[in-house]
Amino acid sequence: MGRARRRLTALLAVAAATALVASCGRPSSLDPIDNSAAYAKYDAMSGKSRHDRLVEEAKKEGSVIVYTTSDAVSDVVAPAFEKKYGITVSVYRATTETLRQRILQEADAGRPLNDVVETSDIEMAILHQKHLLGAYKPDVPGIDPRAKLPFMTGAYFIATLPVHNSRHVTKANAPDSLDDLTDPRWKGKLALEQNDDNWYLSVYRYYHDHGMSDADFTTMMKKIAANARPVNGHLTSHDLLKSGEYAVFVTDFLHYVTGQDPGAVDYRPAVGPVNLQVLGAVPMRGAEHPAAATLWSDFYLTDAQPLIDNISGIPTNPSAIAHYKAPLSKDDEVVEDWRTLLKSGPAWSKAYENLLSGKGPVLPKGAS
């Protein structure tokens, strides 16, 4: 992996230099690639013949470059892929925003340098709008229908929901609904991640669909926000929850609990609504290694499912995992509304910011 990482570092340096030249008005040295014909060929195949052809052509390509938001890709998935196929994997990991900026910068310079992107639904929707994603159609049975979006097939869900510190919250006094967190007894004992406007939208959709008025929703959320303090960063905030800094992290990630010995934290009884963000891997339209990119994306939905279970989130293909048991009930799960986030994300972000800061309005105009 050392040689692969060095190669990727060099490629990224070239991309930065190329982008700089392009920004000065000079033509890019990178030729655009359109692999539509290659992807159409692979998408028309199925079963063993598809897999065997992909392996044959991917081995000729020899490598695959993956841009990702997940540590699990470099730590777990990439080594397993390399071991199975003997194909070198180069991984670049960054935050969702940084990853998007990198890809768009490279596209402006001529073409993205990655073969595969692994990121969230809304980020994929943005890249799809820019015509940067390949037309990938997996031949994988058993995928959760909720993970099948127009531009991607998700490999896992990130579930956002309240998690409590078991030393400060007993089973007897644990909240069993979001409305419970309006009680004054939680004053100063809650935390809300300040960038979780996607969760806020899903919560609104859930209660709106269940007949709650905008006025009642606003009252409920203002009371919860008054009991809470804004925090920044899910992992850091989860660690602070474990240490007892607060009793309930209202917008924690489920896989931070289930991927380790729960110890001081627990999500049971599960408090809904639970926001499900869809994440997955999609080949790039301009991939230099289209067969390897497609093979990687198939691997992500099959062999990698047991590897990312709990570590990255909730797998979307439970049939690939022996004796799989879902951690949550589907009754209170809401797949996040990427269409609304794509259309009016800044308005929801501002509304959520207003909620946390005690200002108004806390709902975008015409939210319902």
Side-chain angles (χ1 to χ4, degrees), residues 16-29:
T18 305
L20 179 61
V21 170
S23 67
C24 294
R26 298 173 61 183
S28 168
S29 61

Side-chain angles (χ1 to χ4, degrees), residues 9-30 102 105-106 108-110 113:
T9 300
L11 285 168
L12 294 176
V14 170
T18 305
L20 179 61
V21 170
S23 67
C24 294
R26 298 173 61 183
S28 168
S29 61
L30 292 175
R102 165 68 67 181
Q105 180 187 48
E106 292 176 357
D108 287 342
L113 294 179

Side-chain angles (χ1 to χ4, degrees), residues 80-297:
F81 184 86
E82 289 185 322
K83 182 178 180 180
K84 181 169 183 175
Y85 296 116
I87 297 169
T88 300
V89 182
S90 301
V91 178
Y92 170 71
R93 186 196 176 279
T95 62
T96 53
E97 184 176 350
T98 300
L99 202 68
R100 182 202 334 134
Q101 291 174 345
R102 165 68 67 181
I103 292 172
L104 296 180
Q105 180 187 48
E106 292 176 357
D108 287 342
R111 61 178 168 86
L113 294 179
N114 60 315
D115 298 305
V116 181
V117 58
E118 183 275 346
T119 190
S120 67
D121 44 23
I122 181 61
E123 296 295 320
M124 287 289 195
I126 293 170
L127 298 178
H128 176 67
Q129 275 194 334
K130 301 290 185 180
H131 306 290
L132 295 174
L133 301 180
Y136 170 65
K137 296 180 181 178
D139 177 44
V140 179
I143 301 295
D144 189 321
R146 299 175 299 172
K148 296 180 179 180
L149 308 184
F151 43 81
M152 71 181 290
T153 298
Y156 61 96
F157 300 111
I158 287 183
T160 306
L161 77 169
V163 173
H164 60 265
N165 184 300
S166 303
R167 293 193 296 265
H168 296 273
V169 180
T170 65
K171 289 184 178 181
N173 68 1
D176 58 12
S177 71
L178 203 59
D179 184 62
D180 282 352
L181 298 177
T182 63
D183 193 294
R185 70 188 177 93
W186 296 110
K187 183 70 174 180
K189 298 179 180 180
L190 309 180
L192 283 164
E193 215 287 334
Q194 62 187 13
N195 295 306
D196 280 341
D197 48 284
N198 57 336
W199 167 84
Y200 185 50
L201 170 59
S202 287
V203 169
Y204 171 76
R205 280 185 51 217
Y206 176 86
Y207 282 105
H208 177 77
D209 292 347
H210 283 74
M212 180 179 282
S213 69
D214 285 2
D216 287 345
F217 177 81
T218 297
T219 298
M220 179 181 72
M221 293 309 302
K222 282 185 174 180
K223 287 182 178 181
I224 293 173
N227 285 340
R229 50 175 158 163
V231 295
N232 187 20
H234 285 95
L235 183 57
T236 299
S237 301
H238 177 80
D239 288 341
L240 290 173
L241 174 70
K242 288 172 62 177
S243 71
E245 188 71 15
Y246 27 80
V248 180
F249 185 10
V250 183
T251 56
D252 204 348
F253 287 164
L254 177 65
H255 62 280
Y256 287 165
V257 183
T258 56
Q260 55 184 284
D261 181 357
V265 297
D266 205 347
Y267 64 93
R268 293 160 295 198
V271 175
V274 178
N275 180 62
L276 296 183
Q277 185 179 50
V278 184
L279 291 92
V282 178
M284 300 294 291
R285 183 170 67 89
E288 185 178 354
H289 310 109
T294 305
L295 184 64
W296 171 277
S297 299

